[in-house]
C-alpha cells in the first residue's frame, strides 16, 4: 500500500523499525522509505532570493554611509564628524545654524525655503552667548583668513577681529562670514537646538555695533525642534541605535539566550516536575521587571528618565521628543501585557499537571537522544552569521540616499571666503534624497530577514522531528555509543531531499505575514482620509481583514510546523505532508488538544522568559555611561531592547524546538500508531501511554464516522 493511497501506519506496519535493515539508523525502514527530492523549484527560488539579497545588500554597502543616520549636513553637503570632508570634520560633529533669521524665515508657512537651506556648519559643541559681551561663530577659515582649523577651534570659532571692513559690514548684515551668538542652544541629537530666549546683553552689543534686526519669535525654537523631531529623523536615529549598541545585541541577542535556553533544557531533563511552576513564576517576575524599567525611562517612577540632550544642559530647560512619547506608549503596552500575563497564569494554574506529564515525555527523549540539546547550536551559528550581515546591510541601506543641493526659490546672500566677496548664487543647502527604489530595496531586505529566519527555524525543526521520529518508531532502541547518529542521519535526509519543502513552507508563512503588514500600513494611512475614518463599513472591513489574516497566519504556522514533522517522517512534499498532518490532527483533535495546548503555553512562556531576561539585561547594559553620553549615546533604549527581545526569542525558539518538536512528533506518531493498530499504540513509550491512553476516550476518538 502506498502512502498516497492509505494511512502512514500501513507503511509503518510493513517496515517495522526494530527490524529495519539499516541497523546504523534505527527507524530507518520507516523514515527512509520512498524518498526523493521534493519541491525543488522552491529551493531554486530560495537560492535566487539569496543572490538577490546579496545584490541588494551590495548596493547598500556601496552607497550607504551610516554616519548620515546620526549626524547632519553642513552647508557644503558634508557629514558632520566625517574625516573625508574638506575641512576635516572628524571632531566637529554638532550641526549649528549660524543665521538665526534664516532659521526663523524657514519656519514661516509663506517661506520658499526650508531649514536645510539655512546656513549650517559643524562645531565641537553648541555655542552659548557671552555673559558680558558678544560672541561670534565664524565660517570655516579659508581664503584671506590665515587660520588653521585647530586655531579656529581654539578661538571658539571666532575670528571677527581679523575681518576686513567689507567682511565686518557683511557680517553685521547677517551675511557672514561671522554671525552673532544671540540665542543659547543645547545639543539635541547632534544638532544645536535654539532656545528662544535671547541674551539681552549680547543683543544690546549687536545693536550698538549696527547689526540688523534679529527675529526673537518662538518660531526659531520650534523650527529646529520640528526638524530634529520629524518621523524620518527619528527613524534614522533608531536605526543608528542598532549600530551603536552592537555589543549589547551580541550579548543579549546571541550569547545570553543560548546560555539561558540550554539551562532551561537541562532543567527540563533533570527537574521536569517543577519546571512549569518555575516558568510561570519567573515569567511574571520578568514581565514586572521589564515594565518597571520602561516606567523609569519614561520618567513615571525614579529619577532617571530618558533625555534627548547630549551633554550638560540647563535643568530648567525641558525639551521633549518622539522618543519619549514612544517610551510612554511602550510603558502602557507593557502594563497591559503585565495584566494579561497575570490573568493567563491564573487561568492555566489548574492544568499544570497536564503540562508536567507531556514535558516528562520530552524529557525522556532528550535523555535518550543527547545530541538534541547540542544540535540547535548549528542553526544558531548560521543565523548569527546571517544576522551580522543583515544588520550591517540595514545600516547602509537606510543611509544610501544621495546628497543633492536643494532647489529653493529664495533670495539670500553670504560671504564667500574663497571668492572674497558676497555671493548670492549658491543659497540653497543640501539634503539627503531617497529614491523609490531605495524604499523597495529596504522592504525586500526585511522580507528576506523574515523568510530566511523562518527557513532556518524550519530546517532545525525538521531535523529534530526526524530524530525524534526515529526514536519513536525504534521503540527507543537508540544506540548510546553513537549519540549523534540519529541527528546526523536526520540532517542528511533534510539536506538531500527536503530543503525545497521547507523553503516552500517558510515562503507561504512569510507571504501571509507581509500581506498583513501591507494591509496594516494601508489601514493606518486610511485613518487620515475622512471618508474612511468616519465610515463604519471601512472600519469593519479593515478589522475583519486583519482578524482573518491573523487567524490564517496562526493556522499556517501550526500547519507548517506539523508539515515539517511529516516531511521528516515520510519525505513527502510540503502540500502532501500538510494534508497528512492535518488529517491526523482533525481525527484526533481532542486527544492532541488535551495535552498539547497547555504544553505549548508553558513552552511559549519559557521562550518569553528567555527573551524577557534578554530585554531586562539589555536595559541594564544600556544604562552604562557609554550609551548615555558621547558619540555612543543612543537616542532611546527602546529599539535595542526590542531587538534584543526579538533575537532572544528567535534563539530560544531554536533551542526550545527540541522540546516542542519532540512533543508534537511523538503525539502525531502516537495518533497514527494507535489508529493503525485499533487504538493500541505498539511503539509508544510507557510514559506517553500513561498520559494519553485513557480507554474510554480512545474508543470514542478512534472510531471513524
Amino acid at each position: 500500500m502506498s502512502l498516497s493511497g492509505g494511512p502512514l501506519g500501513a507503511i509503518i506496519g510493513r517496515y517495522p523499525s526494530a527490524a529495519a535493515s539499516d541497523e546504523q539508523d534505527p527507524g530507518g525502514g520507516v523514515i527512509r522509505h520512498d524518498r526523493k527530492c521534493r519541491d525543488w523549484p522552491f529551493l531554486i527560488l530560495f537560492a535566487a532570493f539569496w543572490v538577490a539579497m546579496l545584490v541588494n545588500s551590495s548596493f547598500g554597502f556601496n552607497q550607504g554611509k551610516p554616519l548620515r543616520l546620526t549626524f547632519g549636513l553642513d552647508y557644503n553637503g558634508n557629514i558632520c564628524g566625517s574625516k573625508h570632508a574638506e575641512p576635516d570634520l572628524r571632531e566637529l560633529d554638532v550641526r549649528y545654524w549660524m543665521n538665526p533669521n534664516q532659521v526663523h524665515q524657514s519656519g514661516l508657512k509663506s517661506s520658499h525655503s526650508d531649514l536645510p537651506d539655512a546656513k549650517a556648519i559643524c562645531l565641537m559643541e553648541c555655542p552659548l552667548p557671552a555673559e558680558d559681551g558678544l560672541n561670534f561663530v565664524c565660517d570655516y577659515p579659508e581664503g584671506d583668513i590665515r587660520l588653521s582649523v585647530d586655531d579656529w577651534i581654539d578661538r571658539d570659532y571666532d575670528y571677527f577681529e581679523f575681518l576686513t571692513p567689507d567682511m565686518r559690514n557683511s557680517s553685521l548684515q547677517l551675511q557672514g562670514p561671522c554671525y552673532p551668538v544671540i540665542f543659547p542652544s543645547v545639543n539635541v541629537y547632534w544638532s544645536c537646538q535654539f532656545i528662544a530666549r535671547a541674551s539681552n546683553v549680547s543683543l544690546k552689543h549687536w545693536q550698538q555695533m549696527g547689526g540688523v534686526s534679529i527675529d526673537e519669535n518662538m518660531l526659531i525654537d520650534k523650527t529646529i525642534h520640528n526638524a530634529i523631531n520629524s518621523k524620518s529623523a527619528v527613524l534614522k536615529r533608531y536605526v543608528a541605535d542598532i549600530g551603536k549598541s552592537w555589543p549589547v545585541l551580541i550579548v543579549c541577542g546571541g550569547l545570553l539566550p543560548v546560555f539561558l535556553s540550554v539551562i532551561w533544557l537541562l532543567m527540563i531533563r533533570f527537574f521536569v516536575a517543577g519546571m512549569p511552576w518555575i516558568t510561570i513564576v519567573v515569567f511574571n517576575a520578568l514581565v514586572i521587571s521589564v515594565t518597571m524599567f520602561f516606567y523609569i525611562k519614561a520618567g513615571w517612577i525614579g529619577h532617571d528618565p530618558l533625555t534627548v540632550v547630549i551633554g550638560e544642559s540647563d535643568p530648567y530647560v525641558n525639551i521633549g521628543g518622539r522618543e519619549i512619547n514612544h517610551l510612554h506608549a511602550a510603558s502602557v503596552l507593557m502594563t497591559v501585557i503585565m495584566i494579561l500575563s497575570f490573568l493567563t497564569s491564573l487561568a492555566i494554574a489548574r492544568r499544570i499537571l497536564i503540562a508536567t506529564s507531556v514535558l516528562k515525555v520530552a524529557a525522556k527523549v532528550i535523555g535518550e537522544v543527547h545530541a538534541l540539546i547540542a544540535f540547535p547550536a548549528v542553526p544558531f551559528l548560521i543565523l548569527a552569521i546571517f544576522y551580522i550581515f543583515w544588520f550591517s546591510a540595514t545600516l547602509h541601506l537606510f543611509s544610501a540616499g544621495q546628497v543633492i543641493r536643494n532647489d529653493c526659490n529664495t533670495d539670500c546672500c553670504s560671504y564667500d571666503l574663497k571668492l572674497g566677496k558676497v555671493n548670492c548664487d549658491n543659497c540653497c543647502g543640501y539634503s539627503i534624497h531617497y529614491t523609490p527604489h531605495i524604499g523597495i530595496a529596504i522592504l525586500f531586505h526585511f522580507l528576506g530577514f523574515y523568510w530566511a529566519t523562518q527557513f532556518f527555524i524550519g530546517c532545525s525543526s525538521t531535523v529534530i522531528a526526524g530524530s525524534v521520529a526515529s526514536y519513536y518508531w525504534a521503540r527507543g532502541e537508540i544506540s548510546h555509543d553513537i549519540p549523534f547518529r540519529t541527528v546526523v542521519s536526520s540532517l542528511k535526509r533534510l539536506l538531500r531531499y527536503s530543503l525545497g519543502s521547507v523553503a516552500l513552507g517558510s515562503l507561504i508563512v512569510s507571504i501571509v505575514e507581509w500581506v498583513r503588514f501591507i494591509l496594516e500600513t494601508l489601514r493606518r494611512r486610511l485613518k487620515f482620509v475622512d471618508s474612511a475614518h468616519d465610515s463604519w463599513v471601512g472600519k469593519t472591513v479593515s478589522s475583519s481583514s486583519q482578524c482573518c489574516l491573523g487567524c490564517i497566519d496562526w493556522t499556517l504556522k501550526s500547519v507548517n510546523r506539523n508539515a515539517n514533522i511529516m516531511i521528516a517522517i515520510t519525505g513527502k512534499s510540503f502540500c502532501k505532508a500538510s494534508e497528512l498532518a492535518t488529517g491526523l490532527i482533525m481525527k484526533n483533535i481532542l486527544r492532541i488538544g488535551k495535552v498539547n495546548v497547555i504544553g505549548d503555553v508553558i513552552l511559549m512562556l519559557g521562550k518569553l522568559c528567555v527573551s524577557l531576561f534578554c530585554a531586562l539585561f539589555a536595559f541594564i547594559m544600556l544604562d552604562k555611561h557609554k550609551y548615555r553620553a558621547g558619540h555612543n549615546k543612543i537616542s532611546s533604549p527602546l529599539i535595542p531592547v526590542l531587538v534584543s527581545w526579538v533575537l532572544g526569542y528567535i534563539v530560544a525558539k531554536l533551542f526550545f524546538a527540541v522540546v516542542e518538536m519532540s512533543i508534537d512528533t511523538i503525539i502525531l506518531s502516537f495518533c497514527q500508531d494507535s489508529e493503525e493498530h485499533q487504538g493500541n499504540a505498539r511503539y509508544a513509550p510507557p510514559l506517553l501511554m500513561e498520559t494519553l491512553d485513557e480507554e474510554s476516550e480512545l474508543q470514542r476518538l478512534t472510531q471513524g464516522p
Side-chain angles (χ1 to χ4, degrees):
M1 183 182 295
S2 66
L3 189 59
S4 59
L8 176 62
I11 290 181
I12 293 169
R14 184 179 301 177
Y15 300 95
S17 302
S21 60
D22 188 356
E23 295 181 358
Q24 292 185 346
D25 184 9
V30 177
I31 304 302
R32 298 176 62 182
H33 175 73
D34 190 27
R35 290 196 178 254
K36 61 182 180 180
C37 190
R38 308 283 184 177
D39 297 318
W40 57 267
F42 294 96
L43 181 59
I44 296 176
L45 178 63
F46 187 71
F49 148 77
W50 266 101
V51 173
M53 277 284 288
L54 292 174
V55 173
N56 190 57
S57 300
S58 65
F59 162 76
F61 286 122
N62 184 46
Q63 300 292 329
K65 294 182 179 180
L67 277 179
R68 295 174 182 170
L69 301 173
T70 301
F71 304 108
L73 302 178
D74 67 2
Y75 71 90
N76 291 321
N78 295 318
I79 307 171
C80 292
S82 173
K83 63 182 179 180
H84 301 294
E86 181 60 39
D88 189 345
L89 303 176
R90 70 181 71 196
E91 296 181 356
L92 306 173
D93 40 34
V94 182
R95 177 174 51 178
Y96 175 74
W97 286 274
M98 306 174 74
N99 190 335
N101 280 2
Q102 280 187 330
V103 174
H104 177 267
Q105 291 167 8
S106 66
L108 297 173
K109 293 183 179 179
S110 59
S111 175
H112 296 289
S113 62
D114 296 321
L115 185 62
D117 296 318
K119 189 165 186 175
I121 63 172
C122 303
L123 307 177
M124 292 186 67
E125 57 187 13
C126 295
L128 295 174
E131 296 180 358
D132 55 357
L134 179 62
N135 291 337
F136 285 88
V137 170
C138 300
D139 201 351
Y140 303 127
E142 56 186 349
D144 292 335
I145 304 300
R146 308 298 182 181
L147 285 176
S148 66
V149 173
D150 290 337
D151 291 336
W152 173 66
I153 295 173
D154 292 338
R155 296 180 60 87
D156 291 331
Y157 326 107
D158 186 353
Y159 51 75
F160 186 81
E161 62 182 278
F162 300 142
L163 298 184
T164 65
D166 288 342
M167 291 181 183
R168 290 197 177 201
N169 183 60
S170 174
S171 297
L172 292 175
Q173 300 300 315
L174 285 181
Q175 294 179 347
C178 294
Y179 297 82
V181 180
I182 303 296
F183 298 95
S185 58
V186 293
N187 185 348
V188 177
Y189 298 131
W190 307 105
S191 291
C192 291
Q193 166 75 63
F194 283 0
I195 300 172
R197 190 175 63 202
S199 168
N200 293 330
V201 174
S202 298
L203 189 58
K204 183 178 179 180
H205 276 77
W206 172 255
Q207 293 170 347
Q208 290 174 349
M209 294 175 66
V212 298
S213 176
I214 292 179
D215 296 310
E216 301 180 56
N217 194 287
M218 278 291 296
L219 194 59
I220 194 174
D221 184 318
K222 293 181 180 179
T223 301
I224 296 179
H225 177 76
N226 291 338
I228 296 174
N229 207 36
S230 66
K231 292 182 179 179
S232 60
V234 173
L235 176 61
K236 289 179 182 179
R237 289 197 292 270
Y238 278 160
V239 176
D241 288 343
I242 296 176
K244 295 176 184 177
S245 59
W246 65 266
V248 176
L249 300 184
I250 290 177
V251 173
C252 300
L255 302 179
L256 184 60
V258 170
F259 174 76
L260 294 175
S261 298
V262 172
I263 292 296
W264 199 90
L265 290 178
L266 292 176
M267 292 185 70
I268 282 288
R269 172 67 181 92
F270 297 105
F271 194 57
V272 64
M275 280 307 296
W277 292 107
I278 294 175
T279 301
I280 291 176
V281 172
V282 172
F283 170 70
N284 283 276
L286 287 171
V287 169
I288 294 173
S289 300
V290 172
T291 303
M292 292 302 105
F293 265 97
F294 272 108
Y295 284 0
I296 292 172
K297 292 304 175 183
W300 292 356
I301 61 175
H303 304 283
D304 189 27
L306 176 69
T307 174
V308 300
V309 177
I310 298 176
E312 299 181 357
S313 64
D314 189 340
Y316 297 101
V317 176
N318 184 23
I319 301 177
R322 288 183 183 270
E323 288 88 348
I324 297 176
N325 296 334
H326 293 164
L327 277 177
H328 290 166
S331 300
V332 172
L333 179 60
M334 283 303 304
T335 303
V336 174
I337 293 175
M338 181 174 63
I339 296 173
L340 292 177
S341 65
F342 180 73
L343 295 177
T344 302
S345 301
L346 292 178
I348 66 174
R350 297 179 60 185
R351 298 187 175 271
I352 289 297
L353 291 178
I354 297 178
T356 303
S357 300
V358 75
L359 288 177
K360 285 180 179 179
V361 176
K364 180 173 177 57
V365 177
I366 295 173
E368 296 290 339
V369 188
H370 305 299
L372 285 177
I373 294 181
F375 169 73
V378 176
F380 165 75
L381 291 175
I382 296 174
L383 274 179
I385 295 172
F386 169 68
Y387 286 161
I388 291 172
F389 164 79
W390 188 88
F391 279 115
S392 179
T394 300
L395 293 175
H396 286 81
L397 280 172
F398 270 91
S399 60
Q402 292 182 322
V403 177
I404 300 176
R405 183 181 285 276
N406 300 326
D407 183 14
C408 61
N409 297 318
T410 183
D411 295 327
C412 64
C413 300
S414 62
Y415 198 94
D416 191 325
L417 289 173
K418 289 184 178 180
L419 298 177
K421 64 178 182 177
V422 175
N423 184 8
C424 299
D425 295 333
N426 297 322
C427 293
C428 301
Y430 288 82
S431 296
I432 301 175
H433 292 264
Y434 295 91
T435 56
H437 75 272
I438 295 179
I440 296 173
I442 292 174
L443 289 176
F444 178 79
H445 193 62
F446 276 88
L447 172 63
F449 173 88
Y450 195 82
W451 188 11
T453 299
Q454 291 296 322
F455 176 79
F456 289 123
I457 290 177
C459 289
S460 177
S461 300
T462 304
V463 172
I464 294 170
S467 303
V468 175
S470 296
Y471 167 82
Y472 182 93
W473 297 110
R475 291 193 176 96
E477 298 174 6
I478 301 297
S479 173
H480 294 279
D481 296 330
I482 310 177
F484 282 88
R485 174 170 293 164
T486 306
V487 176
V488 172
S489 298
S490 181
L491 178 60
K492 288 180 179 178
R493 291 191 295 270
L494 168 72
L495 297 177
R496 185 173 180 181
Y497 302 113
S498 304
L499 284 178
S501 300
V502 176
L504 173 58
S506 57
L507 175 61
I508 292 174
V509 173
S510 301
I511 290 175
V512 173
E513 201 68 49
W514 269 93
V515 170
R516 288 182 65 191
F517 170 78
I518 293 172
L519 289 179
E520 178 65 18
T521 302
L522 293 176
R523 185 185 69 83
R524 290 179 180 274
R525 292 191 175 184
L526 286 175
K527 282 186 176 181
F528 297 98
V529 181
D530 292 337
S531 59
H533 183 70
D534 296 333
S535 172
W536 66 270
V537 176
K539 290 182 178 180
T540 303
V541 171
S542 175
S543 301
S544 300
S545 62
Q546 283 294 314
C547 181
C548 291
L549 281 173
C551 294
I552 293 173
D553 181 55
W554 181 86
T555 303
L556 283 176
K557 286 181 179 179
S558 178
V559 169
N560 186 41
R561 188 174 70 182
N562 289 291
N564 287 336
I565 295 174
M566 301 310 294
I567 288 171
I569 295 175
T570 67
K572 292 298 180 182
S573 67
F574 175 81
C575 295
K576 185 61 179 179
S578 301
E579 179 185 346
L580 290 172
T582 303
L584 280 176
I585 292 172
M586 295 306 296
K587 290 179 182 178
N588 301 275
I589 187 68
L590 295 179
R591 182 189 305 178
I592 293 175
K594 174 187 174 185
V595 296
N596 212 24
V597 171
I598 301 299
D600 283 348
V601 171
I602 294 298
L603 290 173
M604 173 64 72
L605 294 182
K607 287 180 278 189
L608 289 175
C609 282
V610 172
S611 58
L612 282 168
F613 194 91
C614 293
L616 182 63
F617 202 74
F619 261 124
I620 295 173
M621 290 187 67
L622 291 170
D623 210 34
K624 294 181 179 179
H625 178 75
K626 175 181 178 181
Y627 301 106
R628 294 162 61 95
H631 292 85
N632 278 327
K633 176 180 169 62
I634 58 173
S635 63
S636 170
L638 181 61
I639 296 303
V641 166
L642 290 180
V643 172
S644 297
W645 193 340
V646 171
L647 292 179
Y649 185 85
I650 292 174
V651 174
K653 189 175 180 66
L654 282 175
F655 283 83
F656 278 57
V658 172
V659 177
E660 197 170 23
M661 296 303 292
S662 295
I663 294 172
D664 290 347
T665 303
I666 286 182
I667 288 179
L668 276 177
S669 299
F670 173 87
C671 290
Q672 182 60 52
D673 191 10
S674 60
E675 180 177 304
E676 180 63 22
H677 299 100
Q678 292 75 44
N680 297 317
R682 296 182 180 179
Y683 296 91
L687 185 59
L688 181 65
M689 297 295 293
E690 295 176 7
T691 305
L692 296 175
D693 194 11
E694 297 179 4
E695 190 66 30
S696 59
E697 185 174 351
L698 270 174
Q699 291 177 356
R700 184 174 71 256
L701 294 176
T702 54
Q703 288 176 353

